[in-house]
Amino acid sequence: MAIFLSKESKVLVQGMTGSEGMKHTRRMLASGTDIVAGVNPRKAGHVIDFDVPQGASDLGGTPIAVPVFGTVRDAVEATGADVTVVFVPPPFAKAAVIEAADAGIGLAVVITEGIPVHDAVAFLAYAAARGTCVIGPNCPGLISPGQSNAGIIPADIATKPGRIGLVSKSGTLTYQLMYELRETGFSSAVGIGGDPVVGTTHIDCLAAFEEDPDTELIVLIGEIGGDAEERAAAYIADHVTKPVVGYIAGFTAPEGKTMGHAGAIVSGSSGTADAKKLALEAAGVRVGATPTETSRLVLARLAEAHG
């Protein structure tokens, strides 16, 4: 199994005909994602042919035709799409997510960065009220290796399905941990994004991985700023029975600085890497000092579990 995204997921892409949308749609198709539609009101009725590289997944290099619809609702009615990946520019992201929620999309993956916080707050509340799960904004998306890939996670760094579940604020660290643990494999990896306000949280993913019978161990990657990791630690202590290994980015970050992500702001001792590490360790989480040490802790913990 996997969480949130599987081989049965039917994916549409809002902003597919833009440069980033085209590039990453081709990559998603190459990893086996069932992309059934694009959405662009100005190009409704067009069909875009994507040349998938030879040897990609099981597609054999055959060009794949993806129809473009004028609205998300039209795309859903014609194709049965239940997932959308949003590549639209920041000023239009709020309207795009609201349109997806109104069309009954179950999962919206918002890749766009630079979305104003007030827009994110508005569309996250709107989507939640209509039963649409949002991953992001400003995230790399999610991948269930061997099944589907929605977003910009490079599929070639983790082609092997496995029993590790990964949830991360950082896109780059998602890629690094997936690469270092590529021989072990993942059930799903979710990049939730590092903005001050995001839809799906560490806790949401922890709960899903806890219920997933094919996930044996969970890797949690956090970073300085906010209290998401401390709240995740409290949740782990009370609700998670599976082993969790963690990594926190930002041990050497200067106080009061925003480091990379908009949400990575430290105020005094609140939100520091040390505070997050202590909270996680108090909940029984083994925390690595570096990504490489974290991957070694994962392998050691799996070895212990299997005697």
Side-chain angles (χ1 to χ4, degrees):
M1 291 181 66
I3 67 167
F4 305 147
L5 187 73
S6 72
K7 62 183 178 181
E8 286 79 28
S9 299
K10 296 182 180 297
V11 181
L12 66 84
V13 181
Q14 290 172 266
M16 186 184 77
T17 56
S19 60
E20 289 300 303
M22 290 286 287
K23 176 175 69 177
H24 289 292
T25 296
R26 182 174 291 106
R27 290 179 175 177
M28 286 186 281
L29 286 166
S31 65
T33 305
D34 185 12
I35 296 183
V36 297
V39 175
N40 183 333
R42 296 186 301 277
K43 296 189 177 182
H46 286 64
V47 175
I48 308 296
D49 289 323
F50 289 91
D51 293 321
V52 177
Q54 290 288 338
S57 185
D58 60 352
L59 303 175
T62 303
I64 298 175
V66 180
V68 181
F69 295 86
T71 68
V72 175
R73 187 174 298 280
D74 288 344
V76 169
E77 290 177 351
T79 68
D82 53 7
V83 177
T84 181
V85 184
V86 179
F87 283 105
V88 304
F92 311 109
K94 175 182 174 182
V97 177
I98 287 174
E99 181 184 358
D102 283 341
I105 289 287
L107 176 67
V109 183
V110 185
I111 307 300
T112 309
E113 63 179 319
I115 297 174
V117 173
H118 58 82
D119 280 0
V121 170
F123 72 64
L124 289 171
Y126 191 92
R130 283 153 184 80
T132 299
C133 173
V134 177
I135 295 176
N138 188 19
C139 76
L142 71 161
I143 182 172
S144 297
Q147 299 194 56
S148 190
N149 182 9
I152 63 174
I153 296 175
D156 57 353
I157 63 173
T159 59
K160 182 179 179 180
R163 300 184 66 81
I164 300 172
L166 172 65
V167 53
S168 173
K169 273 187 179 180
S170 166
T172 303
L173 290 173
T174 300
Y175 311 154
Q176 182 167 352
L177 264 294
M178 291 189 75
Y179 179 78
E180 295 203 19
L181 294 166
R182 63 194 180 280
E183 295 302 322
T184 306
F186 292 81
S187 55
S188 294
V190 186
I192 61 174
D195 276 4
V197 180
V198 295
T200 300
T201 66
H202 283 114
I203 291 174
D204 295 325
C205 293
L206 287 166
F209 281 130
E210 174 71 10
E211 294 299 319
D212 177 28
D214 288 338
T215 298
E216 181 177 345
L217 179 146
I218 304 167
V219 178
L220 183 151
I221 301 176
E223 63 186 10
I224 60 171
D227 66 348
E229 294 79 4
E230 287 89 343
R231 286 185 281 114
Y235 183 86
I236 290 167
D238 292 338
H239 301 287
V240 178
T241 62
K242 296 177 180 179
V244 182
V245 175
Y247 173 68
I248 303 297
F251 278 100
T252 61
E255 290 187 10
K257 295 294 184 180
T258 300
M259 306 299 291
H261 286 157
I265 302 173
V266 175
S267 301
S269 61
S270 176
T272 64
D274 284 327
K276 296 175 184 296
K277 180 176 184 289
L278 289 173
L280 288 167
E281 289 179 337
V285 178
R286 298 183 187 180
V287 181
T290 65
T292 298
E293 182 183 340
T294 303
S295 66
R296 291 172 182 160
L297 288 173
V298 170
L299 296 176
R301 188 67 182 83
L302 287 173
E304 291 173 12
H306 292 278

